[in-house]
Amino acid sequence: MFAKFLNLNPDKQTRIINAAMKEFAQKGFDNASTNEIVKEAEIAKGLLFHYFKNKQQLFLFAYDYGSELILNDFYQKFDATEPDFFARLRQISRLKLEILQQFPDMFHFLEVAYIDTSKVVSDELEQRKQQLIDSNLGKLFKGIDLSLFKDGVDITRIIQIMMWTFEGYNRDALKKAKLTPGVPINYESFFAEAAAYIEFFKTSFYK
Amino acid sequence: MFAKFLNLNPDKQTRIINAAMKEFAQKGFDNASTNEIVKEAEIAKGLLFHYFKNKQQLFLFAYDYGSELILNDFYQKFDATEPDFFARLRQISRLKLEILQQFPDMFHFLEVAYIDTSKVVSDELEQRKQQLIDSNLGKLFKGIDLSLFKDGVDITRIIQIMMWTFEGYNRDALKKAKLTPGVPINYESFFAEAAAYIEFFKTSFYK
Amino acid sequence: MFAKFLNLNPDKQTRIINAAMKEFAQKGFDNASTNEIVKEAEIAKGLLFHYFKNKQQLFLFAYDYGSELILNDFYQKFDATEPDFFARLRQISRLKLEILQQFPDMFHFLEVAYIDTSKVVSDELEQRKQQLIDSNLGKLFKGIDLSLFKDGVDITRIIQIMMWTFEGYNRDALKKAKLTPGVPINYESFFAEAAAYIEFFKTSFYK
Amino acid sequence: MFAKFLNLNPDKQTRIINAAMKEFAQKGFDNASTNEIVKEAEIAKGLLFHYFKNKQQLFLFAYDYGSELILNDFYQKFDATEPDFFARLRQISRLKLEILQQFPDMFHFLEVAYIDTSKVVSDELEQRKQQLIDSNLGKLFKGIDLSLFKDGVDITRIIQIMMWTFEGYNRDALKKAKLTPGVPINYESFFAEAAAYIEFFKTSFYK
DNA sequence: TATGAATGAGGCTTCATTCAT
DNA sequence: TATGAATGAAGCCTCATTCAT
């Protein structure tokens, strides 16, 4: 499908992907302009559609490209032997920070893409998200020592609550960052506060 | 600012507001079409811009109009004497359900508007949301009997977590509903499951 | 449907219809350019789509507009009392010539539109053509004195053959005209030759 | 002119010609896409323009190629000794059927090409058609026994009428076939009905 | 107050053809 | 001979907003 594109001069590939991610991240799918993308990538208008059937395919390609790259990076560093649930959460949080610092634009794009609500891509995105969750939730929490939890707590519900909590936490942090444009995000304090939430959950739900 | 509009024939006012809410709810700010709005409201194109400087003003007016109307309704029914935090949460949840059933379209619009990410309105929306939270969080939880909580728990954090939890819960429920179009939302089961989460928090954080 | 357009300043209406007919006649539906049409009509791009949902609707409107106008003109002059089949054919032929001289561009457009094969309009056109035939064939040949034909001839087949003959005759004449652009069509000789064919059929099939 | 192409690997030649004929037959000259042609032929885009200066040359080459091939086939089977005009017509009709069954796609392409109205090719096509008629009408009807016709009939006119009749007959049959896609054309009944028209002409114009 | 005609930039996409390799 | 990347003009259509009436 995208073989053509992947055979292309890598420099140009990068320019196109970066330009697309930047535009999509800034404006969302519907309002992103392919005109802006080709201008930023410094290619001719037609070329974009030589490689990608349409705007939608470009978006999804960028999404897949980015998420694969980032997941690979993540799992290379991920230690799946840690039995403590909250230690593992902290690890995940730390790895996320590292990746974010290594690929800031791509990270930003994926984060925004993840919540893009455009009808045109939302169905496909939803599938991908579900696949991601299905194939990763298992890996992330395999081998956890459940005996450390208080007896009788509904662990599924806890995980669900924590996921929503961190989603909300991320979103709010993102919003605050947007409100002070120009000021770079202070990721350390961002993750420090996340750690405080983890600590809170641990106190609440561990023996 | 909108004095002109508010002097208008009430029937026409309603038609315009409803049409705007419907279109914005369906497509988000950027992709909503003023053409569709005037068609639905059965008014002339120019009239819309006679009353509202631009699309943005219309959106924000609709937002303010809806949230004020709904908040008034809410506080008329709200019992601020209940000292039990979770009982109050249940009350809030129940009132939300009532309002939702009374003003389904307006409710839907506000819900969607709340997460609209269009640059053009997001700043203004953010202000309004912050104001709403600031001025309401106090009212909602004033007079709560904190002694019922376990000693030493950080109540602010708990509230934050619960807010994110219910945000996430709503969003997921909304998504599921979208995936089966045609099937009407079963609000009773929706709120029953919400109640289960409330119960869980109670067990976790009350003495 | 097209009420909006018909309320428009008649001069502009005419300019738009003429420009559309000219462009469609020259290039057929698919290759006609809405850009050329608006340029010729001296209106803004958007205006065309203010009146017509899309290129297709514009084409069909022009077709309906033209054929109605021409049919009305035709039937005002048509004498349905003539019992001789071939006399009536001559009459039809003569009226066609008159109309052609009165509305040359419209006539040309309709002739070309009639054989336009673009997928986008052919279905709708086919319906219209069938309706035209159904509702007109009856009128055109009602009250014909069949006893003038040789005994035993299959009159339906004769009519069919004559229709194809005149279709072919028209088409060939049109082609020849195209091959010598600039030179105006000599309609008199065109219809004189048609009369010769009518005479031939008469000799062949009348007693 | 096309020497280069004719030296090419025959398999590839065939693929290119077939792909071109298919695309032109489906969409007409203007709307045919060279992209589709190279995709179908499984050759590189540039190669097409290496062999053919442009789309127009490709089309005309395909037309010439097809018509020559089919004419050769036709004349190998054609019996020019039959003196009866209508018997010869029946023969022509039968041979046409045979060829159609042997080269369905090519036949279809030529049929459609024949009525293609694109400015870009119509002039050249017109020349070819005229040449075809000029050089073939003689062959087809040489040695006909004119004494079998009624005295005084204008045989040129008769032939002209019959040609238009069969053109119209073909076109109508083609249309009907298009209106019921999926249902294969019943060529036998198609040619049987054609035979009925031949019979009709015979009765009308023979002694 | 009310109309709806008018604007023209910008949206995405397709196209035949060229050219460096 | 063969590739397929590259071009950029042109395609149709939508849009928020303005303005004369």
Side-chain angles (χ1 to χ4, degrees):
Chain A
M1 182 89 218
F2 299 112
K4 250 199 282 184
F5 178 71
L6 296 170
N7 284 342
L8 175 61
N9 166 357
D11 170 49
K12 211 177 262 185
Q13 269 187 57
T14 309
R15 264 157 44 213
I16 293 175
I17 291 183
N18 285 347
M21 286 184 170
K22 183 174 163 189
E23 178 74 6
F24 284 130
Q26 274 177 17
K27 310 195 189 157
F29 178 79
D30 283 326
N31 290 97
S33 158
T34 54
N35 274 340
E36 291 302 314
I37 293 173
V38 299
K39 214 179 290 170
E40 172 89 14
E42 295 180 309
I43 58 167
K45 195 71 205 284
L47 192 54
L48 193 66
F49 294 94
H50 181 65
Y51 291 117
F52 302 98
K53 207 175 59 132
N54 52 30
K55 192 180 167 186
Q56 193 190 155
Q57 294 300 318
L58 170 62
F59 180 91
L60 293 173
F61 174 80
Y63 184 83
D64 290 340
Y65 180 92
S67 54
E68 188 165 345
L69 194 150
I70 276 181
L71 274 185
N72 282 343
D73 193 80
F74 179 88
Y75 280 116
Q76 277 181 6
K77 299 170 178 168
F78 183 62
D79 169 15
T81 64
E82 168 64 60
D84 184 318
F85 180 81
F86 293 100
R88 212 175 272 188
L89 270 190
R90 275 192 300 273
Q91 194 202 161
I92 292 171
S93 182
R94 185 173 38 76
L95 289 179
K96 222 171 138 181
L97 173 57
E98 285 177 29
I99 289 169
L100 165 63
Q101 286 170 326
Q102 199 175 350
F103 309 103
D105 293 333
M106 193 171 292
F107 198 94
H108 181 209
F109 163 66
L110 290 173
E111 200 132 65
V112 173
Y114 190 81
I115 58 167
D116 198 300
T117 55
S118 164
K119 268 182 194 152
V120 185
V121 290
S122 59
D123 283 3
E124 295 267 2
L125 271 184
E126 211 49 54
Q127 280 186 31
R128 281 159 170 76
K129 288 185 217 172
Q130 206 49 55
Q131 274 183 18
L132 280 184
I133 292 175
D134 291 350
S135 65
N136 287 296
L137 219 52
K139 285 191 218 168
L140 291 177
F141 297 114
K142 195 176 197 173
I144 288 296
D145 182 355
L146 298 179
S147 68
L148 297 171
F149 281 92
K150 283 179 183 162
D151 298 327
V153 298
D154 181 342
I155 293 179
T156 315
R157 208 179 282 274
I158 290 179
I159 292 181
Q160 188 61 269
I161 287 170
M162 287 195 302
M163 283 180 63
W164 284 328
T165 295
F166 290 115
E167 267 182 27
Y169 175 66
N170 284 345
R171 195 168 29 247
D172 282 13
L174 222 64
K175 267 184 204 163
K176 271 178 209 145
K178 265 194 199 162
L179 292 179
T180 54
V183 179
I185 301 178
N186 181 342
Y187 287 117
E188 269 74 14
S189 78
F190 171 81
F191 281 97
E193 176 65 8
Y197 276 96
I198 292 176
E199 206 52 38
F200 174 83
F201 281 117
K202 184 172 179 182
T203 328
S204 301
F205 301 125
Y206 256 22
K207 275 172 190 162
Chain B
M1 180 92 218
F2 300 113
K4 261 197 288 182
F5 178 73
L6 296 169
N7 284 340
L8 178 60
N9 162 0
D11 170 50
K12 215 178 254 186
Q13 274 186 53
T14 309
R15 264 159 40 214
I16 293 175
I17 291 180
N18 285 346
M21 287 184 170
K22 185 174 164 189
E23 178 74 5
F24 285 129
Q26 275 177 18
K27 310 195 189 156
F29 178 79
D30 284 322
N31 291 97
S33 157
T34 54
N35 265 335
E36 290 303 313
I37 292 172
V38 299
K39 215 180 287 172
E40 173 88 14
E42 295 178 312
I43 58 164
K45 192 74 191 285
L47 198 53
L48 194 67
F49 292 92
H50 179 70
Y51 290 119
F52 301 98
K53 206 182 81 196
N54 53 28
K55 195 178 165 185
Q56 193 191 157
Q57 295 301 317
L58 170 62
F59 180 91
L60 294 173
F61 175 80
Y63 184 83
D64 291 339
Y65 179 93
S67 53
E68 188 166 347
L69 192 149
I70 275 182
L71 275 185
N72 283 344
D73 193 79
F74 179 88
Y75 281 117
Q76 277 180 8
K77 299 169 178 168
F78 182 63
D79 170 14
T81 64
E82 167 64 60
D84 183 317
F85 179 81
F86 293 100
R88 213 176 272 188
L89 268 190
R90 276 192 299 273
Q91 195 203 159
I92 291 171
S93 181
R94 183 172 41 74
L95 289 179
K96 222 172 137 181
L97 174 58
E98 285 178 28
I99 289 170
L100 165 63
Q101 287 170 328
Q102 198 174 351
F103 310 103
D105 293 333
M106 193 171 292
F107 197 94
H108 182 208
F109 162 66
L110 290 174
E111 198 134 65
V112 173
Y114 190 80
I115 59 167
D116 198 300
T117 57
S118 164
K119 262 188 191 157
V120 186
V121 290
S122 59
D123 284 4
E124 296 268 1
L125 270 183
E126 211 49 54
Q127 282 185 30
R128 280 156 171 77
K129 288 184 216 170
Q130 207 49 55
Q131 276 181 18
L132 280 183
I133 291 174
D134 291 351
S135 66
N136 287 296
L137 219 53
K139 286 191 218 167
L140 291 177
F141 296 115
K142 194 175 199 174
I144 288 296
D145 182 355
L146 297 180
S147 68
L148 296 170
F149 282 93
K150 284 178 183 164
D151 298 327
V153 298
D154 180 342
I155 293 178
T156 317
R157 211 179 281 277
I158 290 180
I159 292 181
Q160 188 61 268
I161 287 171
M162 287 195 301
M163 284 179 62
W164 284 329
T165 295
F166 289 116
E167 267 183 25
Y169 175 68
N170 283 346
R171 194 170 31 247
D172 282 14
L174 223 64
K175 265 186 207 163
K176 269 178 210 146
K178 267 193 197 162
L179 293 179
T180 54
V183 179
I185 301 178
N186 181 342
Y187 287 116
E188 270 73 18
S189 81
F190 171 82
F191 281 97
E193 176 66 9
Y197 276 95
I198 292 176
E199 205 53 37
F200 175 83
F201 282 118
K202 185 173 179 181
T203 328
S204 300
F205 301 125
Y206 258 23
K207 277 174 189 161
Chain C
M1 182 88 217
F2 300 113
K4 249 198 283 183
F5 178 71
L6 296 169
N7 284 341
L8 176 61
N9 166 356
D11 170 49
K12 212 177 261 186
Q13 270 187 57
T14 309
R15 263 156 47 211
I16 293 176
I17 290 183
N18 285 346
M21 286 184 169
K22 183 174 166 188
E23 178 75 4
F24 284 130
Q26 274 177 16
K27 310 196 190 156
F29 178 79
D30 284 326
N31 290 97
S33 158
T34 54
N35 275 339
E36 291 302 315
I37 293 173
V38 299
K39 216 179 289 170
E40 172 89 13
E42 296 181 306
I43 57 168
K45 194 70 206 282
L47 192 54
L48 193 66
F49 295 94
H50 181 65
Y51 291 117
F52 302 98
K53 206 175 60 127
N54 52 30
K55 193 180 164 184
Q56 194 190 156
Q57 295 300 319
L58 170 62
F59 180 91
L60 293 173
F61 173 81
Y63 184 83
D64 290 340
Y65 179 93
S67 54
E68 188 164 347
L69 193 150
I70 275 182
L71 274 185
N72 282 343
D73 193 79
F74 179 88
Y75 280 116
Q76 277 181 7
K77 300 170 177 168
F78 182 62
D79 170 15
T81 64
E82 169 63 59
D84 183 317
F85 180 81
F86 293 100
R88 212 175 274 187
L89 269 190
R90 274 191 300 273
Q91 194 201 162
I92 292 171
S93 183
R94 184 175 38 76
L95 290 179
K96 225 173 137 180
L97 174 58
E98 286 177 28
I99 289 170
L100 166 63
Q101 287 172 326
Q102 199 175 351
F103 310 103
D105 294 333
M106 194 171 290
F107 198 93
H108 181 210
F109 163 66
L110 290 174
E111 199 132 66
V112 174
Y114 191 81
I115 58 167
D116 198 301
T117 55
S118 163
K119 268 182 193 152
V120 185
V121 290
S122 58
D123 282 4
E124 295 268 3
L125 271 184
E126 211 50 53
Q127 279 186 33
R128 280 158 171 77
K129 288 185 217 172
Q130 206 50 55
Q131 274 183 20
L132 279 184
I133 291 174
D134 291 350
S135 65
N136 287 296
L137 219 52
K139 285 191 218 168
L140 292 177
F141 296 114
K142 195 176 199 172
I144 288 296
D145 182 354
L146 297 179
S147 68
L148 298 170
F149 281 92
K150 283 180 184 161
D151 298 326
V153 299
D154 181 341
I155 294 178
T156 318
R157 211 179 282 275
I158 291 179
I159 293 182
Q160 188 63 268
I161 287 170
M162 287 194 303
M163 283 180 64
W164 283 329
T165 294
F166 289 116
E167 268 182 26
Y169 176 67
N170 284 345
R171 194 169 31 246
D172 282 13
L174 223 64
K175 268 184 204 162
K176 271 179 210 144
K178 265 194 198 163
L179 293 180
T180 55
V183 179
I185 301 177
N186 181 342
Y187 287 117
E188 270 73 17
S189 78
F190 172 82
F191 281 96
E193 176 66 8
Y197 275 96
I198 292 177
E199 206 51 38
F200 174 83
F201 282 117
K202 185 174 179 182
T203 327
S204 301
F205 302 124
Y206 256 23
K207 275 175 188 159
Chain D
M1 180 93 216
F2 300 114
K4 262 197 287 183
F5 178 71
L6 296 169
N7 283 340
L8 178 61
N9 163 359
D11 170 50
K12 216 178 255 185
Q13 275 186 52
T14 309
R15 266 159 38 213
I16 293 174
I17 290 180
N18 285 346
M21 287 184 169
K22 185 174 164 187
E23 179 74 5
F24 285 128
Q26 275 177 16
K27 310 194 190 156
F29 178 79
D30 284 322
N31 290 98
S33 157
T34 54
N35 265 336
E36 290 303 313
I37 292 173
V38 300
K39 216 180 285 171
E40 173 88 13
E42 296 179 312
I43 59 164
K45 193 73 192 284
L47 198 53
L48 194 66
F49 291 91
H50 180 69
Y51 289 119
F52 302 98
K53 205 182 83 195
N54 52 29
K55 195 180 164 184
Q56 193 192 156
Q57 295 301 318
L58 169 63
F59 180 91
L60 293 174
F61 175 80
Y63 185 82
D64 291 339
Y65 180 94
S67 53
E68 188 165 347
L69 192 150
I70 274 183
L71 274 185
N72 282 344
D73 193 79
F74 179 86
Y75 280 117
Q76 277 182 7
K77 299 170 178 168
F78 183 61
D79 170 15
T81 64
E82 168 64 58
D84 183 317
F85 179 81
F86 292 100
R88 213 176 271 189
L89 270 190
R90 276 191 299 273
Q91 196 202 160
I92 292 171
S93 183
R94 185 174 38 76
L95 289 178
K96 222 171 139 182
L97 174 57
E98 285 178 28
I99 289 170
L100 164 64
Q101 287 171 327
Q102 199 174 350
F103 309 103
D105 293 334
M106 193 171 291
F107 198 93
H108 182 209
F109 163 66
L110 290 174
E111 198 134 67
V112 173
Y114 190 80
I115 58 167
D116 198 300
T117 56
S118 164
K119 262 188 190 158
V120 186
V121 290
S122 58
D123 285 2
E124 296 268 1
L125 270 183
E126 212 47 55
Q127 281 185 30
R128 281 158 169 77
K129 287 185 216 169
Q130 207 48 56
Q131 275 182 19
L132 279 183
I133 291 174
D134 291 350
S135 66
N136 287 294
L137 219 53
K139 285 191 219 170
L140 290 178
F141 297 115
K142 194 176 199 173
I144 288 296
D145 182 354
L146 297 180
S147 68
L148 297 170
F149 281 92
K150 283 179 183 162
D151 299 327
V153 297
D154 181 343
I155 294 179
T156 317
R157 213 179 280 277
I158 291 180
I159 293 181
Q160 188 61 269
I161 288 171
M162 287 194 301
M163 284 179 62
W164 284 328
T165 296
F166 289 116
E167 268 183 25
Y169 176 67
N170 284 346
R171 195 171 28 247
D172 282 14
L174 224 65
K175 265 185 206 162
K176 270 178 209 144
K178 266 194 197 161
L179 293 180
T180 55
V183 178
I185 301 178
N186 182 342
Y187 287 115
E188 271 73 17
S189 80
F190 171 82
F191 281 96
E193 175 66 9
Y197 276 96
I198 292 176
E199 206 52 38
F200 175 83
F201 282 118
K202 186 174 177 180
T203 327
S204 301
F205 301 124
Y206 257 24
K207 277 174 187 161

